[in-house]
Amino acid sequence: MTITLRHAAIDDLRPVGALHQRSRVAAYSSFLPAEALADPTPEAMGEYWAERWTWERDEHLMTVAERDGRLVGFSYLGPDDQDDPATGLLNAIHLDPAEQGRGTGRALMADALATMRGRGRHRAVLWVLEPNAHARRFYERGGWRPTGERREEQIGTVRTPQLRYARELD
């Protein structure tokens, strides 16, 4: 049973939203209260991705991962959020919780990095929730390092700190 990666199509966006919500709940429930993760609903997350993709599809790329024809993960990348043309931003990698540890996240990351290189980027960055130790270990094993930059993201009613990570692509 191998994983297949492909560029997302419009029909993927609502299922991506449902997967994104499942992934968030599984990944963040150890450090965020349930009420912070209850919203958005899977349906609302699908609407979010459909709307976002409408505005960003010319500069961003969503890649979906399938196993036996079933959506099991996705990545989303685009230009740097600090306007450095040599840098690409890995906005997201999310997996169905049952897909953890099966190599799908690594395949999505390798694909995203190769895509950024192919777009002429020399550096990649991402933001990760500081208390998400599992994700931080995943990125660090992939060669990413904290830059020292921090920001906060609102998740439900909770302000959650994020760390910026970077890695060279050359």
Side-chain angles (χ1 to χ4, degrees):
M1 296 191 196
T2 60
I3 197 78
T4 303
L5 302 181
R6 65 173 174 78
H7 295 174
I10 195 158
D11 291 344
D12 293 314
L13 299 175
R14 283 180 178 44
V16 160
L19 182 144
H20 187 181
Q21 181 61 5
R22 286 192 310 276
S23 173
R24 285 170 38 113
V25 169
Y28 306 163
S29 63
S30 67
F31 57 87
L32 289 175
E35 58 272 9
L37 297 171
D39 192 44
T41 64
E43 295 78 17
M45 190 66 87
E47 290 294 325
Y48 162 81
W49 278 110
E51 178 70 19
R52 184 172 180 180
W53 193 72
T54 298
W55 298 106
E56 294 182 344
R57 68 179 169 209
D58 291 339
E59 294 180 339
H60 289 72
L61 177 65
M62 179 180 283
T63 300
V64 295
E66 294 179 326
R67 185 178 301 280
D68 299 325
R70 188 176 67 83
L71 177 72
V72 295
F74 74 95
S75 66
Y76 193 66
L77 59 94
D80 180 42
D81 60 343
Q82 296 179 357
D83 297 323
D84 178 358
T87 300
L89 177 66
L90 179 58
N91 296 88
I93 292 180
H94 281 277
L95 300 178
D96 187 279
E99 196 66 18
Q100 293 274 335
R102 300 186 72 186
T104 305
R106 286 188 306 276
L108 284 164
M109 184 182 356
D111 178 75
L113 296 174
T115 299
M116 284 189 243
R117 272 188 220 98
R119 292 182 170 190
R121 309 286 195 223
H122 301 284
R123 182 173 181 250
V125 295
L126 61 83
W127 290 96
V128 64
L129 296 178
E130 185 174 358
N132 191 347
H134 180 80
R136 291 176 61 191
R137 281 190 307 274
F138 168 75
Y139 291 119
E140 288 167 5
R141 282 191 308 266
W144 299 81
R145 298 294 171 251
T147 66
E149 295 173 80
R150 303 171 77 92
R151 71 179 186 189
E152 287 192 341
E153 177 182 359
Q154 189 78 23
I155 299 179
T157 59
V158 180
R159 302 283 299 162
T160 307
Q162 293 183 324
L163 301 174
R164 188 172 174 97
Y165 275 62
R167 64 163 286 164
E168 298 303 313
L169 296 175
D170 298 326

